[in-house]
């Protein structure tokens, strides 16, 4: 196994574990977990935006000419997944917590996590630096995602055992996607890899702005804006460190 393959597998497993930790937190103390998750959500939103705009997009521009189109496509793909497959949405508000929970929602969450895993594979295939940034962005948003999803499933009156099974499958989808990517990203031509990276950037922009930031607005705590900006600065400085 090469170092790159090892990094892909390890970081996707960490992302899967992050989802499970989210579930554990909710089961341990839902109130505390929900009250504090917004800090992590703010940080993750900043990380995802900065990773997309400062690293993924500039890097894809170097190997592909159709970057703007593919960023838009990535945004659209995730919009469709989150909007049509996942009928449950991240929402800490009790009133909107109970949506009709269908098998489709669960499939949507699993597909989302699968694509997160493939994104890690694509990132590391472009370069180890891009891989690390992609992995950080995936890992950090998986935890709040696991937390929010579990909380919604709990309010939809699903049995704990069932929630655990759902959470485990969604968590496993990330390493599964990453391992699958090992088989095909190697053979991709550079410009196609660039387009795939641009799709990842678009998906991160969607998740940050349409899934995470609305949560921040809802919490109405001023500190969250500072945390989001801190997330951006953190990625900016990390980029300086790597170059
Ligand atoms: Zn995700």
């Amino acid at each position: 196994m090469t170092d790159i393959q090892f990094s892909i597998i390890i970081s996707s497993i960490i992302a899967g574990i992050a989802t499970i930790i989210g579930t554990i937190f909710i089961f341990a103390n839902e109130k505390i977990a929900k009250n504090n998750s917004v800090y992590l959500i703010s940080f993750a939103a900043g990380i995802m935006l900065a990773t997309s705009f400062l690293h993924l997009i500039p890097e894809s521009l170097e190997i592909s000419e159709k970057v703007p189109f593919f960023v838009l496509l990535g945004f659209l793909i995730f919009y469709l997944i989150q909007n049509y497959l996942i009928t449950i949405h991240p929402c800490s508000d009790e009133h909107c917590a109970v949506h009709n929970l269908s098998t489709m929602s669960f499939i949507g969450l699993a597909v989302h996590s699968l694509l997160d895993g493939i994104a890690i594979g694509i990132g590391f295939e472009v370069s180890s630096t891009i891989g690390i940034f992609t992995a950080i962005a995936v890992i950090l948003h998986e935890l709040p995602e696991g937390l929010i999803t579990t909380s919604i499933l709990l309010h939809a009156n699903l049995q704990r055992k069932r929630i655990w099974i759902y959470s485990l499958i969604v968590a496993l989808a990330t390493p599964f996607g990453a391992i699958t990517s090992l088989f095909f990203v190697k053979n991709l031509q550079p410009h196609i890899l660039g387009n795939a990276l641009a799709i990842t950037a678009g998906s991160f922009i969607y998740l940050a702005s349409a899934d995470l930031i609305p949560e921040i607005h809802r919490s109405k705590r001023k500190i969250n804006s500072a945390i989001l900006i801190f997330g951006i600065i953190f990625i900016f400085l990390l980029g300086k460190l790597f170059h």
Side-chain angles (χ1 to χ4, degrees), residues 48 78 112-113 116 138 141-142 145 174 207:
M48 295 187 92
F78 265 72
H112 166 145
S113 294
D116 280 338
V138 169
H141 87 267
E142 286 317 274
E145 240 166 39
T174 308
L207 291 175

Side-chain angles (χ1 to χ4, degrees), residues 109-127:
L109 284 166
V111 169
H112 166 145
S113 294
L114 188 88
L115 294 176
D116 280 338
I118 293 175
I120 291 177
I122 290 165
F124 275 105
E125 187 59 30
V126 173
S127 75

